[in-house]
Amino acid sequence: MDLHFAGLIVGAGSFLIIGVLHPVVIKAEYYYGKHCWPFFALAGALCCALSLFSANQIASILLAVLGFTLFWSVRELFEQEERVKKGWFPANPNRRQK
């Protein structure tokens, strides 16, 4: 019986990517506001494009997962701003509020 670890690697990688990006979105909104969303969108597009050219299937899948998670982070930036307005997360007192 052959064991195939690709699914476990992709699952663990996806879990790690989502887990890392969650606090990154919170910190990005805290320090830069929702206006940094183009960075996340551009990084997501770059990762998705790179996934098309990756020779390694697992790397290609993880790049695509990272890309789409970065796209999702754009939405989360806007939602994080609303959470801050509701008082669920602290606002940055040093950042000029718009």
Side-chain angles (χ1 to χ4, degrees):
M1 178 167 94
D2 291 334
L3 298 177
H4 301 282
F5 290 98
L8 290 176
I9 293 168
V10 169
S14 300
F15 183 75
L16 185 66
I17 289 167
I18 294 166
V20 167
L21 278 178
H22 178 69
V24 167
V25 167
I26 293 169
K27 293 293 184 186
E29 195 285 326
Y30 183 82
Y31 288 110
Y32 306 109
K34 69 180 178 187
H35 304 291
C36 65
W37 73 265
F39 169 78
F40 285 91
L42 195 61
L46 180 64
C47 287
C48 287
L50 288 173
S51 77
L52 295 172
F53 297 101
S54 177
N56 183 297
Q57 185 176 18
I58 292 175
S60 175
I61 293 167
L62 289 175
L63 279 166
V65 168
L66 177 58
F68 280 92
T69 305
L70 285 162
F71 289 146
W72 184 263
S73 296
V74 171
R75 181 173 184 262
E76 284 297 316
L77 274 170
F78 287 87
E79 289 186 5
Q80 182 64 19
E81 181 185 55
E82 293 302 314
R83 292 181 200 115
V84 170
K85 286 179 183 176
K86 291 178 182 179
W88 297 353
F89 286 85
N92 185 348
N94 299 324
R95 187 169 47 97
R96 193 181 78 184
Q97 302 298 321
K98 294 181 181 180

